[in-house]
């Protein structure tokens, strides 16, 4: 549908509100996860989170706002100052308490997002003769890459992890995880790491065995066999692959990042986007976290998913709508030629941000679209700016 004057005004308002929110949430140590409030402080959102800071930095860099652009690396610098001796970047840093946290079973994606943001910001600023971040943090980068490489399987060349140890931190994905390895492939390309082609081959072979040929490696054949016999949803990539079990709930963020990272062939990227559209993950707002929630009767259900009654079906990571992920969804649509649809989705993303008087709510209920979670979410604002950059250029 053609954009109306009301849509154009909505997008302009959302852009202005997003920039205002990011400026409000910015501190000398970097971007807070959410707007300061008593509730946000009680829930730990007034800290510098690894993945949040990185995503915010990417949106700030392309915002067109000079203050935000200059401040984009600040959170990454704070995270570097609290890097663990073994190279891991913390899940979050609370500068007021001088505390770095590494979650329960680890937090593998903070380090991945930190590296990606550093590299992309360095590219962005290099053209302006500023911020030689890769040179300044070469020691910390080498340590971070060493820490990740120590967790890479030496035949599949994919990262291995515990469950509940990435952004979906109360979901049961473990072993080889789609989301994590889409980021890992992007890191390997950005930093020119060894065995990048092998990583891509294993990525496609394990996460979509339905279109892959018979694996040469006998252990890969066994892992594939479980999915080939039992999987029902064969259009999307598996959310994770473990020894004898796998995830087919349809991890939307993982599938979108697989498209954006370049880990998939073009034909597989188009198949993936078509499958996500066919499953309506972008309705009523972009975009749902999973295609089908994990139910309590499922073998994948874990007791911790019921904590605070947060991760039941159609809630939080188990089927809630995440505007932050919506920004990456729009970028993927734009990248693969769906510019008109990307612009339509951008309007819907702005409407999601505008709910509850521009609350920029963390997530929405997957069925009712009622705003949930923390308000004033920084990465929602940054993700909108990032999506607008890709959808309108």
């Amino acid at each position: 549908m053609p954009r109306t004057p009301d849509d154009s005004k909505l997008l302009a308002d959302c852009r202005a509100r997003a920039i205002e929110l990011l400026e409000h949430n910015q501190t000398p140590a970097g971007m807070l996860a959410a707007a300061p409030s008593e509730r946000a402080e009680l829930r730990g959102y007034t800290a510098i989170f690894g993945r949040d800071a990185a995503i915010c930095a990417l949106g700030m860099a392309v915002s067109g706002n000079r203050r935000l652009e200059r401040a984009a690396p600040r959170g990454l610098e704070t995270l570097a100052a609290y890097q663990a001796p073994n190279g891991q970047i913390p899940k979050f840093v609370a500068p007021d308490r001088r505390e770095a946290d590494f979650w329960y079973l680890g937090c593998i994606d903070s380090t991945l997002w930190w590296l990606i943001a550093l590299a992309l910001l360095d590219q962005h600023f290099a053209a302006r003769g500023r911020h030689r971040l890769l040179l300044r943090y070469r020691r910390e980068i080498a340590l971070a890459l060493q820490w990740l490489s120590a967790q890479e399987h030496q035949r599949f060349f994919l990262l291995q992890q515990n469950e509940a140890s990435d952004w979906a931190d109360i979901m049961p994905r473990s072993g080889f995880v789609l989301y994590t390895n889409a980021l890992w492939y992007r890191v390997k390309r950005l930093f020119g790491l060894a065995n990048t082609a092998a990583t891509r081959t294993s990525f496609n072979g394990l996460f979509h065995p339905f279109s892959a040929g018979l694996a040469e490696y006998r252990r890969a054949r066994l892992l594939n066999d479980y999915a080939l016999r039992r999987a029902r949803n064969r259009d999307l990539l598996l959310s994770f692959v473990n020894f004898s079990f796998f995830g087919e709930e349809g991890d939307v963020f993982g599938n979108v990042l697989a498209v954006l990272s370049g880990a998939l062939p073009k034909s597989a990227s188009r198949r993936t986007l078509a499958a996500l559209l066919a499953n309506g993950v972008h309705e009523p707002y972009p975009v749902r976290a999973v295609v089908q929630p994990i139910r309590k009767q499922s073998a994948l259900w874990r007791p911790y998913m019921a904590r605070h009654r947060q991760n039941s079906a159609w809630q939080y990571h188990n089927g809630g709508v995440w505007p932050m992920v919506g920004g990456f969804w729009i970028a993927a649509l734009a990248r693969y030629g769906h510019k008109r649809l990307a612009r339509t989705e951008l309007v819907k993303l702005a409407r999601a941000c505008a709910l509850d008087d521009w609350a920029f709510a963390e997530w929405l209920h997957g069925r009712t679209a009622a705003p949930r979670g923390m308000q004033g979410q920084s990465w929602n604002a940054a993700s909108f700016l990032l999506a607008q950059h890709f959808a309108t250029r």
Side-chain angles (χ1 to χ4, degrees), residues 163-324:
E163 60 184 57
S165 58
D166 56 41
W167 97 281
D169 52 16
I170 47 176
M171 289 290 274
R173 299 166 189 149
S174 63
F176 301 116
V177 175
L178 173 67
Y179 158 88
T180 297
N181 280 290
L183 295 175
W184 179 227
Y185 180 72
R186 185 66 173 135
V187 166
K188 295 187 83 166
R189 288 184 65 196
L190 286 167
F191 289 91
L193 302 185
N195 300 304
T196 300
T199 297
R200 191 174 194 255
T201 299
S202 293
F203 186 97
N204 285 275
L206 285 185
F207 294 122
H208 202 264
F210 323 110
S211 62
L214 185 66
E216 292 183 12
Y217 183 33
R218 63 189 177 89
R219 303 201 191 282
R221 290 198 297 273
L222 180 60
L223 292 177
N224 288 348
D225 186 61
Y226 289 105
L228 290 171
R229 286 198 208 186
R230 292 161 37 201
R232 291 165 295 177
N233 184 350
R234 298 185 171 222
D235 294 323
L236 292 170
L237 301 163
L238 299 172
S239 67
F240 74 92
V241 176
N242 210 311
F243 186 25
S244 61
F245 58 103
F246 53 89
E248 57 175 336
E249 72 279 8
D251 171 19
V252 176
F253 203 8
N255 276 271
V256 166
L257 289 175
V259 170
L260 287 172
S261 70
L264 300 180
K266 288 183 179 179
S267 59
S269 291
R270 294 190 183 98
R271 179 200 67 224
T272 300
L273 291 175
L276 291 170
L277 285 166
N279 281 284
V281 299
H282 56 314
E283 300 294 350
Y285 301 109
V287 67
R288 255 194 350 260
V290 299
V291 171
Q292 287 294 331
I294 297 171
R295 306 283 182 167
K296 289 187 177 180
Q297 60 269 31
S298 168
L300 292 181
W301 179 266
R302 301 289 187 268
Y304 58 72
M305 294 172 70
R307 288 182 69 230
H308 311 299
R309 294 180 293 180
Q310 188 172 24
N311 217 31
S312 299
W314 308 114
Q315 297 189 163
Y316 202 55
H317 293 131
N318 198 21
V321 172
W322 286 76
M324 178 275 292

Side-chain angles (χ1 to χ4, degrees), residues 83 87 111 115 140-150 184 187-188 191 193:
Q83 184 180 35
T111 306
L115 287 164
E140 291 85 351
I141 289 168
L143 276 173
L145 291 173
Q146 179 179 298
W147 180 75
L148 289 166
S149 295
W184 179 227
V187 166
K188 295 187 83 166
F191 289 91
L193 302 185

